[in-house]
Amino acid sequence: MQHIEFESVSEKVIRQIKKGAFLTVQAGDDLNVMTIGWASLGYIWGRPIMTVLVRKSRYTFGIIERSSEFSVSVPSVDMSSQLAFCGSESGRNVDKFKECSLEIFPASRIKTPIINVPGIHFECKIVYKSEMDPSALVESYKHLYPMKDYHTIYYGEMVHTYSTEGEAEEGLN
Ligand SMILES: Cc1cc2nc3c(=O)[nH]c(=O)nc-3n(C[C@H](O)[C@H](O)[C@H](O)COP(=O)(O)O)c2cc1C
């Protein structure tokens, strides 16, 4: 597993996350995966940080709140049906790993596992979190929260970033 600098893959990663990526969380025996479409990558506090946004209604929220880490897997092959499933079904009701035939493998620097798909993987340790303050949200974005189901933003230090793309780079665009 070759460590890579996130800067070297950031453009394609950002483009793919916009279409969907896997966020995996674990706390004790509770393990879940959900699709994310909103995230950012860059330097904060002088460290490489990825932010992910999780609404309180998600099963994932109850798990990540009891954890101090998460992993993100950005597929480089077409996984649109699995991303659609993990982005609409809840881990409260179904085992998404089983239903989508998603295998996992152990991470190297965190306890939360990694989804075994060809792509770029991020092992992240949560260094900060912030609940959205609706009163600070610009009026023109408020339509994104009709149920007032606001996000909590998790800031994860990317402690290990690597590729399992092999030769097949072309799928990630
Ligand atoms: C393309 C796509 C992107 C999504 N992005 C997010 C996101 O960034 N944050 C979020 O809270 N939910 C997002 N969702 C919705 C969750 O993935 C969805 O509600 C999921 O069923 C939650 O699963 P859980 O209850 O097992 O946590 C997205 C869904 C799709 C299809």
Side-chain angles (χ1 to χ4, degrees):
M1 212 67 74
Q2 187 74 32
H3 184 84
I4 50 177
E5 299 296 321
F6 81 89
E7 293 94 328
S8 66
V9 290
S10 58
E11 182 182 347
K12 55 186 180 179
V13 161
I14 287 166
R15 288 186 193 281
Q16 176 58 39
I17 293 178
K18 199 175 165 199
K19 293 188 254 176
F22 297 105
L23 170 68
T24 306
V25 294
Q26 182 171 33
D29 290 339
D30 295 332
L31 173 68
N32 193 44
V33 55
M34 79 167 215
T35 301
I36 53 166
W38 294 350
S40 64
L41 292 80
Y43 283 92
I44 310 180
W45 307 294
R47 307 299 304 166
I49 302 289
M50 177 184 289
T51 62
V52 294
L53 289 81
V54 180
R55 295 187 196 243
K56 288 186 168 58
S57 57
R58 312 301 187 219
Y59 179 60
T60 300
F61 176 76
I63 299 179
I64 198 170
E65 278 291 300
R66 288 182 284 124
S67 182
S68 56
E69 50 183 48
F70 59 82
S71 73
V72 172
S73 295
V74 182
S76 58
V77 294
D78 180 21
M79 301 210 64
S80 44
S81 65
Q82 293 93 332
L83 287 165
F85 189 88
C86 293
S88 54
E89 297 293 329
S90 178
R92 283 186 200 96
N93 311 314
V94 288
D95 179 343
K96 292 190 244 183
F97 297 94
K98 198 170 151 202
E99 295 297 324
C100 293
S101 302
L102 292 173
E103 292 176 358
I104 51 174
F105 64 88
S108 62
R109 312 225 174 132
I110 60 174
K111 294 192 195 81
T112 304
I114 307 295
I115 305 279
N116 190 13
V117 295
I120 311 284
H121 306 276
F122 298 87
E123 299 182 9
C124 299
K125 289 191 176 171
I126 298 170
V127 293
Y128 183 67
K129 69 174 181 180
S130 172
E131 284 183 50
M132 279 184 66
D133 172 2
S135 72
L137 187 66
V138 69
E139 204 59 40
S140 58
Y141 285 14
K142 288 198 168 145
H143 69 280
L144 296 167
Y145 299 93
M147 312 299 286
K148 306 209 182 308
D149 182 16
Y150 297 101
H151 288 103
T152 297
I153 306 167
Y154 297 90
Y155 295 68
E157 180 173 338
M158 296 179 269
V159 293
H160 196 185
T161 301
Y162 46 92
S163 169
T164 54
E165 289 182 301
E167 316 288 43
E169 283 261 340
E170 64 280 356
L172 198 69
N173 54 26

